Amino acid sequence: MFPALDAKAAGYDVYAVIDASGDPSDMVSRTTVARFAQAGVVPTTTNAVLSEAHRTWDRPEAAELAKLYALVAPNYAAVIESYAKVKEVAAAAE
């Protein structure tokens, strides 16, 4: 928490990736998020950061990015698998 608050105090726009923190309990995490909000630090998640940085799947390296994304968002791996299967079935039906 303190580096984020110090950066905010120094005038930076600060985003805290909450699910990448090492909080020991849900209560500590909720308290930290509340403190960040009070100080003007924007709480966010790994998923949001990746999505904002990635922006679009319409790019040549999309498949490689999807593999990396699935590593940090396991539920997304299921989406990728499902999408690949649909494409496979559709191609076989042609």
Side-chain angles (χ1 to χ4, degrees):
M1 177 187 324
F2 297 112
L5 295 176
D6 287 346
K8 186 64 184 169
Y12 291 95
D13 292 332
V14 181
Y15 293 77
V17 184
I18 300 303
D19 59 339
S21 71
D23 289 339
S25 71
D26 286 341
M27 182 192 73
V28 173
S29 184
R30 287 191 305 272
T31 303
T32 300
V33 171
R35 178 66 186 101
F36 280 158
Q38 290 170 346
V41 173
V42 179
T44 191
T45 65
T46 302
N47 184 45
V49 170
L50 290 171
S51 295
E52 289 176 23
H54 182 67
R55 301 247 183 230
T56 181
W57 289 108
D58 188 21
R59 55 192 331 159
E61 68 277 15
E64 292 303 313
L65 290 170
K67 290 177 193 174
L68 292 173
Y69 192 69
L71 292 173
V72 295
N75 290 339
Y76 191 71
V79 172
I80 293 171
E81 183 180 336
S82 177
Y83 177 71
K85 188 63 175 176
V86 166
K87 284 181 66 174
E88 180 184 317
V89 170
E94 291 179 352

